[in-house]
Amino acid sequence: MWKSGAGREATISISRWTERWIAVAIALAAVRAAGAAEPDLATRLKLLVEAYPESLSGVEDDRLVFRDGGPPLEIDDGKTKDHQAALSAGDVEDSLRQVYPLGACETEPAVDFDPGRIRSDPLMMRLYGRSAKAVEASLVPVEWFGATLRVTKRQGAAAALEKVRDDLAAKPELRRYLAPSAGTFNWRKVAGAPNLSVHSFGAAIDLNTKFADYWVWSGGKPGNVPGHANRYPMAIVEIFERYGFIWGGRWYHYDTMHFEYRPEIVAIARAAGASACR
Ligand SMILES: [Zn+2]
């Protein structure tokens, strides 16, 4: 009896310690998870609004509110989409879903990991213009290593690109990758897709095509993407990201000469502590 009683006590005692350690382990895991947690939708939307202060004033009733007093824009259309559908017709919520990794490290993107490649065309049109003509009205010249490019001044895009250029100019060994630029403004759809390219809004730049790797040029077709490749130094990528541009070389559907101004995607990446170097 005594033995079994002591045994029971010991068992109870061990189980209490076990419980306590499990509780501590859960608490630690929660802290770790919180530290590395991806921001929730409300936080992402707050960062989105802060990234475009020229046009956005806040979120109300699940809609984005614009400073121009125009109709608020629905954040989530409620449709369940696979990756291809999100690329073709993403809503605001879809566009913020994948967290972009920052930094000087190159990683091979997982299947359908295209952070920033999903966009909301209705939002982009409200930020930059609804037509080629409307976008063109806001294009300004940006000097780019011996040429003059046309870039939208809206949302601070041209000013950000000038900062990128100035930092890049301090590294003359990079110049051959940067110029001649393969283009900025071009009102067009993404190749083989129904949605608009960010080139339509004058907020994207392609570098020297001589070093470009593009999943379509490599023989890719939807559902069949060739192996990832890149020939641009990561020092270039790091400088663009510093000023709110994301790189097409981080995408599963890679486009390594392509950078686009997406300050909300970079802000969310910073808030998430998302680094490509791990
Ligand atoms: Zn491009």
Side-chain angles (χ1 to χ4, degrees), residues 167-229:
D167 283 14
L168 288 169
K171 296 175 183 285
E173 72 277 13
L174 297 178
R175 186 183 166 128
R176 65 198 191 107
Y177 299 98
L178 308 171
S181 158
T184 49
F185 170 67
N186 184 3
W187 184 271
R188 63 171 172 82
K189 293 188 168 165
V190 171
N195 57 308
L196 285 164
S197 158
V198 179
H199 289 285
S200 304
F201 304 108
I205 180 170
D206 290 333
L207 304 185
N208 186 351
T209 50
K210 192 177 165 190
F211 302 95
D213 290 287
Y214 177 37
W215 72 282
V216 176
W217 292 348
S218 302
K221 293 188 171 59
N224 181 13
V225 177
H228 194 262

Side-chain angles (χ1 to χ4, degrees), residues 113-133:
F113 185 65
D114 285 326
R117 193 163 177 257
I118 296 171
R119 307 172 200 96
S120 156
D121 278 358
L123 173 59
M124 297 299 277
M125 289 168 122
R126 294 289 291 272
L127 296 176
Y128 294 106
R130 293 169 194 276
S131 64
K133 205 176 162 196

Side-chain angles (χ1 to χ4, degrees), residues 13-236:
S13 167
I14 286 165
S15 88
R16 272 184 194 150
W17 273 108
T18 310
E19 263 171 37
R20 196 167 294 176
W21 278 111
I22 288 172
V24 168
I26 289 171
L28 282 174
V31 168
R32 271 198 297 272
E38 294 186 348
D40 60 17
L41 180 58
T43 306
R44 292 175 202 224
L45 290 169
K46 180 176 169 284
L47 294 168
L48 171 69
V49 169
E50 287 170 1
Y52 299 103
E54 178 186 317
S55 293
L56 297 177
S57 63
V59 174
E60 250 177 60
D61 300 329
D62 301 322
R63 286 162 193 270
L64 284 176
V65 182
F66 292 81
R67 292 194 191 279
D68 64 8
L73 179 66
E74 184 178 62
I75 288 163
D76 187 352
D77 61 16
K79 292 179 192 156
T80 307
K81 307 178 193 83
D82 62 15
H83 188 61
Q84 213 53 47
L87 285 170
S88 299
D91 60 24
V92 174
E93 182 262 334
D94 297 323
S95 76
L96 305 177
R97 207 187 302 149
Q98 294 185 330
V99 176
Y100 179 95
L102 294 163
C105 299
E106 202 178 330
T107 51
E108 180 148 359
V111 173
D112 287 347
F113 185 65
D114 285 326
R117 193 163 177 257
I118 296 171
R119 307 172 200 96
S120 156
D121 278 358
L123 173 59
M124 297 299 277
M125 289 168 122
R126 294 289 291 272
L127 296 176
Y128 294 106
R130 293 169 194 276
S131 64
K133 205 176 162 196
V135 172
E136 275 190 284
S138 299
L139 298 179
V140 294
V142 171
E143 293 308 312
W144 187 264
F145 303 98
T148 305
L149 308 178
R150 293 199 304 159
V151 180
T152 182
K153 66 179 176 188
R154 296 202 62 186
Q155 317 303 335
L161 188 62
E162 286 175 339
K163 288 182 182 168
V164 168
R165 177 203 60 209
D166 291 347
D167 283 14
L168 288 169
K171 296 175 183 285
E173 72 277 13
L174 297 178
R175 186 183 166 128
R176 65 198 191 107
Y177 299 98
L178 308 171
S181 158
T184 49
F185 170 67
N186 184 3
W187 184 271
R188 63 171 172 82
K189 293 188 168 165
V190 171
N195 57 308
L196 285 164
S197 158
V198 179
H199 289 285
S200 304
F201 304 108
I205 180 170
D206 290 333
L207 304 185
N208 186 351
T209 50
K210 192 177 165 190
F211 302 95
D213 290 287
Y214 177 37
W215 72 282
V216 176
W217 292 348
S218 302
K221 293 188 171 59
N224 181 13
V225 177
H228 194 262
N230 171 46
R231 288 173 281 160
Y232 293 98
M234 293 304 290
I236 295 173

